[in-house]
Amino acid sequence: MGKPSKYRFRRWLGMALLVFPWVLPGQPERQPKIGYVFPAGGRQGTNFEVLVGGQRLLGALDIQVSGEGVEATVVKYYRPRRNLMPEQRQALRAKVDEVRGKRLAELPGEDGKVRPWRQQRRNAPAGDPAAELPEHPLLRNLEKMTLRELQNLENEFFNFQVARRRQPNTQLEEMVVVRVTIDPKAPPGDREFRLLTPQGPSNPVCFQVGTLPEVREVEPNEPGSYPNLPPEPPARLPVVFNGQILPGDVDRLAFQARGGQKLVVQVQARRLIPYLADAVPGWFQATVALFDPQGVEVAFADDYRFDPDPVLLFEVPEDGVYELEVRDAIYRGREDFVYRISVSEQPFVTSVYPLGAKEGSVRVQAAVTGWNLPATRLALDASPGDWGVRRTVLERRGLLSNEVLYVVGSLPETNENEPNNELGSAKPVLLPLTINGRIDAPGDVDLYRFRGKRHQELVVEVVARTLRSPLDSLVRVLDARGEVLVWNDDFSPREAGFLYTGDGQLTHHADSYLRVEFPRDGVYYVEISDARGHGGDAYAYRLRLSEPLPDFALRVSPSSLGIPGGKTMPFTVYAMRRDGFSGAIELGLRDAPEGMLLAGGVIPAGQDRVRVTLTAPREVPSSPLALVIEGKARIGETELVRAATPVDDSMQAFLYRHLAPAEELLLAVEKSKWGAPSVEIKGPVPVPLKPGSSTEVHLKTPPRTWIQGIDMVLNDPPKGIAISQSRIVPDGLAFTVTVEADGVEPGTAGNLIVNAFGIIEAKPAKEGEKPAAPATRRTDLGYLPAIPFEVVRR
């Protein structure tokens, strides 16, 4: 990673550091936002430029790419594109014609005739030699462009029909060119790509390190477009195509194939950008079709099982040039409709069984089948004391497979045995237990028999879709007579109105979960099937039957934070409570730099989220750094410690909200001349609040004489709680908190996140002079450290 410019960063901070020295201006909307990176990946051992589109990217200083072996530096920032001035339009036309003339002169003559596409533009106005070309990434390599690239340039800048299809989008209008260098030994796979700016680090976007040769599409490449232009040579396999789909765009990508090749055509579009806030269904829904050398469509896909990204498995019948056709399902398009398509004879896993093993197990193997993959055994890593989801890939003939997921669990395990489709043949089991099974064929049903006691509570949990099994599970608990006591199809783990997408992609949580209390002693059954009646070798599952095992998991949002040293920033921590756990969770920092302060670090009992604040020290040993938030809770005699998964609040299709996971919580801290003064709450903590009354909160802090008044405002206030008055007092600050009489229940707890505004009165103008500024100014000063509260009875 290249060195950021300290001068530029500090120049931006100049004015910010004149305000309250303990806070950062509290405007989360100022975080830089990446909309896309194109191309969204590259091959090991290559050096190339990518285009980053987004908003609030001005002053981009550096790039942060997770993992090892990828270096990136900022080349140039481009402001939002504006309409060309007449002199710029003439200069660009003249330059395009000049470069076209050079390309035409380089073409070998055949019969001496000048073809229509070789003709110069007639009556083209001469460009003003003094006029400068517009600044745009498309013009960076103008002198080296091919005839087809020049035609695309003309379409972009001079074709009214193309321009009319484009809709201005402020989320994508700023652009940064970045040079990327990938080490030959860089581990392949997904990385997180962030821009570092004076406003802090951007959101992460997916950037892939691959092992195959890569090419970029060359527009125009719609079917039958500009037939007189020299065609692009077909790609040689294996290859990865990189492209973008613009409004109404259809891309044709040619490659040379041999008869007998068993090809895997794998499209990655939604995987690169999982959610779009302002598009339906909320992502780029790619479709892919394959055409043979005669132009006949021989294969088509618009998804793969439940994954919106399509996959084609195709055996080539004859040698020749084949073409892929890529488009959006409903012919939408824009710059962030980015895709990567691999075409190769890679192994492609279609089924894995079993989907996991108990921790500490030795020599556990899973049967793996797929395309270009003979029957294979996969050794499952079930290291003692380490359970959770594992990810791996298979290698065959130097090519890597798609990703394989499995789980390492903590309960005893067994495998199902057929036949077990009826009550009389149900497999007897002893609880607690995890069962590895499979719905072998359409209509298959698996039943398990066990004994239960009156008032005994049972948890039935299926893990299948989470591990990319196509099973849409349906579970039912039956009594000894076969009567249904309770059933569940889909279970969606929701947190405070958000849906947690465990792998960043799932929107249909098809795994089942239920809890039941047995009404009497006796025999009971659990039945599992596919809700749609499907089945097959790939329809594997893991079925947990046990008493409740209270536990929790944590999510922290956003996944990128930028804080000048000594300042404060709020963020949110979510709790996913499992099997009825409702206790308080204490939050803390793991191995954080000295002086880093987490305020308000408790998720109250029974609550699923809390807003906290982080105050950075004046300087840290290195920045940016990966920060880890962890939570502790006592359940019986056991203390559980869980690290929080970073997530980002992502909107899908104008409506749905998701907590999409990230790889790391990245914190950028810039050195500051001023540290944070002490802030102490005078009185009990948490601050007791009473429904229908007002409470005064005093904060002890060194005086600040350059402001004449203070205004405190709650940021994202708890329902029914507000600040009515705020003022400066001799030993610090004070404000009054009011609580509505109805709607705020005793026991409600959390943190008050207070945004401070300074009131500055201008000096009176001298007689006869015009006032230099308004008499009173209200200046955003930023956030105070989180203030814990609890609503108590009157």
Side-chain angles (χ1 to χ4, degrees):
M1 185 181 70
K3 273 191 175 181
S5 167
K6 302 296 184 183
Y7 170 74
R8 281 182 290 173
F9 203 110
R10 286 173 178 159
R11 181 178 61 184
W12 171 80
L13 288 176
M15 290 302 297
L17 294 177
L18 294 176
V19 298
F20 262 11
W22 65 69
V23 290
L24 170 73
Q27 298 178 10
E29 67 274 9
R30 294 185 63 180
Q31 181 187 16
K33 173 74 172 178
I34 296 179
Y36 67 92
V37 176
F38 177 72
R43 188 186 187 188
Q44 296 165 321
T46 58
N47 181 293
F48 53 95
E49 288 186 351
V50 302
L51 183 64
V52 181
Q55 61 184 150
R56 297 182 291 277
L57 308 183
L58 178 63
L61 306 174
D62 208 349
I63 309 297
Q64 178 78 12
V65 181
S66 63
E68 299 294 329
V70 181
E71 300 287 332
T73 55
V74 174
V75 176
K76 187 175 178 62
Y77 166 82
Y78 290 88
R79 295 182 180 276
R81 176 176 169 181
R82 301 289 182 251
N83 292 332
L84 299 184
M85 300 296 289
E87 59 272 18
Q88 289 180 316
R89 182 178 294 273
Q90 291 184 14
L92 182 55
R93 278 194 181 277
K95 188 64 178 179
V96 169
D97 284 342
E98 175 189 332
V99 177
R100 180 186 285 107
K102 294 178 181 179
R103 296 293 92 82
L104 293 172
E106 295 168 358
L107 291 176
E110 296 177 0
D111 53 8
K113 295 182 179 179
V114 179
R115 291 173 173 77
W117 55 267
R118 294 189 181 184
Q119 293 177 358
Q120 293 289 327
R121 184 186 307 277
R122 295 182 180 179
N123 301 321
D128 181 357
E132 292 186 1
L133 294 178
E135 285 203 343
H136 194 278
L138 284 178
L139 305 180
R140 284 181 57 79
N141 297 306
L142 179 55
E143 289 284 355
K144 299 179 181 180
M145 285 187 177
T146 66
L147 290 170
R148 188 170 291 272
E149 291 170 329
L150 290 170
Q151 182 61 57
N152 181 57
L153 196 64
E154 283 201 340
N155 291 344
E156 286 292 321
F157 285 94
F158 306 124
N159 189 319
F160 173 75
Q161 296 297 330
V162 171
R164 191 174 61 177
R165 292 201 299 262
R166 301 289 175 86
Q167 296 182 357
N169 191 324
T170 57
Q171 300 177 82
L172 308 174
E173 65 180 5
E174 297 177 56
M175 293 173 285
V176 178
V177 174
V178 173
R179 178 154 290 278
V180 177
T181 301
I182 303 179
D183 188 270
K185 296 183 179 179
D190 292 354
R191 307 296 183 89
E192 289 184 347
F193 183 106
R194 289 177 170 94
L195 276 177
L196 303 181
T197 78
Q199 291 78 27
S202 73
N203 59 304
V205 293
C206 181
F207 185 85
Q208 298 183 329
V209 175
T211 61
L212 304 181
E214 305 214 0
V215 298
R216 299 189 196 187
E217 63 152 333
V218 179
E219 292 281 3
N221 59 357
E222 294 83 1
S225 63
Y226 303 96
N228 291 325
L229 285 173
E232 290 294 309
R236 297 173 61 87
L237 301 185
V239 69
V240 173
F241 291 105
N242 291 280
Q244 290 172 292
I245 295 296
L246 298 175
D249 193 11
V250 177
D251 288 351
R252 282 288 183 105
L253 310 167
F255 62 90
Q256 184 75 42
R258 302 188 314 273
Q261 285 184 296
K262 298 182 70 175
L263 297 182
V264 176
V265 179
Q266 185 173 13
V267 179
Q268 296 188 85
R270 182 163 181 246
R271 183 179 180 91
L272 304 176
I273 304 176
Y275 299 107
L276 298 175
D278 54 348
V280 177
W283 53 77
F284 166 26
Q285 180 58 69
T287 71
V288 61
L290 181 62
F291 293 82
D292 67 12
Q294 290 74 44
V296 177
E297 183 180 314
V298 292
F300 175 86
D302 59 3
D303 59 16
Y304 177 71
R305 293 176 176 169
F306 56 86
D307 189 342
D309 284 341
V311 175
L312 291 177
L313 306 177
F314 181 75
E315 185 169 354
V316 179
E318 59 177 326
D319 295 0
V321 175
Y322 289 74
E323 284 190 329
L324 292 174
E325 182 177 282
V326 187
R327 60 174 175 85
D328 179 73
I330 54 177
Y331 293 94
R332 302 166 305 160
R334 61 189 197 188
E335 289 82 354
D336 55 352
F337 280 37
V338 175
Y339 63 80
R340 286 169 60 81
I341 305 176
S342 60
V343 185
S344 72
E345 295 181 272
Q346 72 173 73
F348 190 84
V349 175
T350 57
S351 70
V352 179
Y353 181 80
L355 289 176
K358 182 182 184 299
E359 62 172 332
S361 303
V362 295
R363 298 179 182 177
V364 177
Q365 294 187 330
V368 179
T369 59
W371 188 260
N372 290 329
L373 193 66
T376 302
R377 306 295 295 183
L378 172 65
L380 303 184
D381 177 13
S383 304
D386 185 16
W387 51 274
V389 177
R390 301 282 192 279
R391 300 171 183 267
T392 189
V393 294
L394 303 180
E395 182 179 354
R396 184 169 182 264
R397 297 177 182 174
L399 298 174
L400 301 180
S401 73
N402 52 319
E403 195 173 50
V404 176
L405 275 64
Y406 63 93
V407 167
V408 176
S410 58
L411 297 178
E413 302 207 358
T414 189
N415 295 339
E416 71 148 327
N417 296 316
E418 293 283 358
N420 61 348
N421 294 38
E422 300 177 354
L423 296 182
S425 60
K427 178 177 179 174
V429 294
L430 294 176
L431 308 186
L433 188 68
T434 295
I435 303 169
N436 292 294
R438 181 163 51 191
I439 302 301
D440 295 293
D444 185 23
V445 175
D446 291 344
L447 283 119
Y448 302 95
R449 175 169 55 90
F450 54 90
R451 296 197 64 84
K453 295 183 177 181
R454 184 185 181 191
H455 298 316
Q456 177 185 352
E457 192 170 11
L458 175 71
V459 172
V460 181
E461 180 182 30
V462 177
V463 178
R465 183 63 61 87
T466 306
L467 301 177
R468 299 180 185 165
S469 165
L471 178 69
D472 181 358
S473 63
L474 170 65
V475 294
R476 304 194 300 171
V477 177
L478 315 175
D479 63 15
R481 296 173 298 177
E483 299 291 332
V484 177
L485 298 179
V486 64
W487 65 276
N488 179 259
D489 180 4
D490 300 336
F491 177 76
S492 297
R494 292 189 176 272
E495 308 153 298
F498 289 80
L499 181 63
Y500 174 66
T501 50
D503 67 351
Q505 307 289 325
L506 291 177
T507 53
H508 176 201
H509 286 251
D511 291 341
S512 305
Y513 177 94
L514 60 82
R515 294 170 62 182
V516 60
E517 183 178 306
F518 297 133
R520 63 184 69 86
D521 294 356
V523 172
Y524 292 89
Y525 300 86
V526 167
E527 175 192 274
I528 179 171
S529 61
D530 184 84
R532 298 169 298 170
H534 297 173
D537 290 344
Y539 286 70
Y541 61 83
R542 286 172 61 81
L543 176 66
R544 172 169 73 100
L545 305 176
S546 74
E547 70 282 359
L549 301 174
D551 204 337
F552 67 94
L554 299 175
R555 315 296 177 214
V556 54
S557 174
S559 67
S560 300
L561 293 172
I563 313 177
K567 317 307 177 216
T568 299
M569 177 64 75
F571 59 95
T572 305
V573 182
Y574 299 87
M576 295 181 66
R577 300 179 180 272
R578 288 172 51 88
D579 288 6
F581 171 65
S582 60
I585 303 170
E586 296 182 6
L587 305 175
L589 303 172
R590 178 190 296 176
D591 301 327
E594 185 177 355
M596 196 81 71
L597 174 64
L598 181 70
V602 175
I603 301 179
Q607 295 187 195
D608 294 328
R609 58 166 279 184
V610 69
R611 296 194 75 205
V612 299
T613 59
L614 183 69
T615 301
R618 287 178 57 186
E619 58 182 82
V620 296
S622 62
S623 179
L625 58 91
L627 196 65
V628 178
I629 308 292
E630 64 180 16
K632 298 180 181 180
R634 183 162 293 279
I635 301 176
E637 299 300 319
T638 303
E639 183 181 64
L640 298 182
V641 180
R642 300 286 182 258
T645 298
V647 296
D648 285 297
D649 171 12
S650 301
M651 177 178 283
Q652 173 201 350
F654 304 97
L655 179 62
Y656 305 103
R657 307 300 288 266
H658 301 269
L659 297 178
E663 183 179 332
E664 59 186 10
L665 173 59
L666 192 73
L667 172 65
V669 179
E670 178 62 16
K671 294 181 181 179
S672 173
K673 294 181 180 180
W674 296 276
S678 60
V679 178
E680 178 185 348
I681 301 174
K682 296 178 64 176
V685 179
V687 176
L689 305 177
K690 297 180 180 180
S693 63
S694 299
T695 302
E696 192 162 274
V697 179
H698 287 264
L699 302 176
K700 184 178 180 181
T701 187
R704 289 293 176 265
T705 59
W706 60 276
I707 60 174
Q708 290 73 51
I710 193 75
D711 186 14
M712 303 289 199
V713 177
L714 287 180
N715 181 275
D716 189 16
K719 183 178 179 181
I721 299 177
I723 291 178
S724 60
Q725 297 178 0
S726 50
R727 63 190 184 280
I728 299 175
V729 294
D731 59 349
L733 306 172
F735 57 91
T736 302
V737 180
T738 60
V739 182
E740 293 180 0
D742 299 322
V744 183
E745 295 293 330
T748 301
N751 294 319
L752 301 177
I753 306 298
V754 179
N755 200 174
F757 294 84
I759 308 301
I760 303 174
E761 296 179 0
K763 294 181 179 180
K766 295 180 180 179
E767 186 176 351
E769 291 184 355
K770 185 178 180 181
T776 301
R777 290 185 293 122
R778 186 173 184 264
T779 302
D780 184 3
L781 303 177
Y783 294 104
L784 302 177
I787 300 173
F789 75 90
E790 182 178 7
V791 178
V792 298
R793 296 187 182 278
R794 287 184 283 183

